[in-house]
Amino acid sequence: MARANEGNCVSNRDDLAFRGPAEVIHFVVVAGTRSAVDRLSPRLLPSLDATCYFEGARLEKTAASRNWAVAAISTPDPMCPLRLAADDDAVVVLNGAALGRRGDQAQLGAQMLEQFKWAGSPAVSAALEGTYNFVGVAPSTGLRAFVDFSGLWPLYWREGPGFAVFSNRSTTVAETVGEQGWDLRALAWVIGHANLFGDRMPAQSV
């Protein structure tokens, strides 16, 4: 099990289980080729620090294969403490008001990791209730990222040569890939209509 080191940053261990609340977990995941992950993984925690609006425990982990890396910031939540779980091969992270149908909220992340590794995203969605988003990467099932039908906890992403980045904040994705500008068309929709049309975010290239 991973343990916090100095500075509240959890580093690579054989496995990892991170405890934090739905409302205040802030995460970013990159998956892709080894060269792309090696290039982007050092940017994950700095990107969270640059775009996070709360203080909390910080963690990072990279797969033994170097095909994915994850970083997150969160604070304790007694109602559903396990939101991110990983071993050397696979990782899952879920955000939002997610409820396990089995009723064991304390081990929700660990359960979803096993479900995803052996049966993929259909097993995960069948085991969850509530509103949430989910990102998982495993050799057996590949990369999957989805939200529940309500869309109340969106995911933001950017695909590039050999990689994909996912986060629950659009500005974190932009920061991770080094985009500093704004998409003026999307920004104009927000300013003029208080809404967005299409799949482009105000944060450029997200």
Side-chain angles (χ1 to χ4, degrees):
M1 189 67 67
R3 293 182 297 179
N5 59 21
E6 292 182 4
N8 291 325
C9 180
V10 180
S11 58
N12 284 352
R13 304 286 292 206
D14 291 339
D15 57 14
L16 177 148
F18 185 64
R19 300 175 183 277
E23 304 93 298
V24 293
I25 188 170
H26 183 185
F27 69 87
V28 58
V29 178
V30 59
T33 63
R34 288 186 177 185
S35 59
V37 172
D38 287 346
R39 177 172 57 86
L40 291 173
S41 58
R43 299 181 59 93
L44 300 186
L45 270 178
S47 296
L48 290 176
D49 289 334
T51 56
C52 196
Y53 57 87
F54 61 89
E55 294 293 331
R58 302 161 71 247
L59 71 92
E60 59 184 347
K61 183 174 177 67
T62 301
S65 64
R66 306 206 316 274
N67 288 133
W68 58 261
V70 61
I73 299 175
S74 189
T75 57
D77 174 29
M79 296 298 294
C80 188
L82 196 60
R83 294 285 175 177
L84 190 158
D87 55 28
D88 278 345
D89 297 319
V91 61
V92 299
V93 57
L94 59 154
N95 179 43
L99 301 172
R101 291 188 175 181
R102 295 180 183 178
D104 185 5
Q105 289 297 105
Q107 296 299 318
L108 187 60
Q111 291 173 6
M112 294 307 101
L113 178 63
E114 293 306 312
Q115 293 274 10
F116 182 71
K117 287 170 62 176
W118 298 114
S121 53
V124 172
S125 60
L128 290 176
E129 299 276 7
T131 59
Y132 58 87
N133 57 45
F134 174 91
V135 179
V137 190
S140 56
T141 52
L143 167 67
R144 299 290 185 271
F146 61 92
V147 302
D148 77 284
F149 72 92
S150 73
L152 294 176
W153 297 87
L155 277 174
Y156 305 96
W157 62 280
R158 163 73 185 275
E159 185 178 4
F163 74 88
V165 176
F166 296 87
S167 178
N168 56 335
R169 296 203 70 186
S170 61
T171 51
T172 305
V173 175
E175 188 76 21
T176 299
V177 299
E179 292 284 359
Q180 301 295 323
W182 298 98
D183 186 313
L184 297 183
R185 181 179 177 85
L187 196 60
W189 276 118
V190 174
I191 295 171
H193 200 273
N195 207 338
L196 282 169
F197 294 88
D199 59 0
R200 294 164 65 178
M201 295 293 106
Q204 190 165 291
S205 300
V206 178

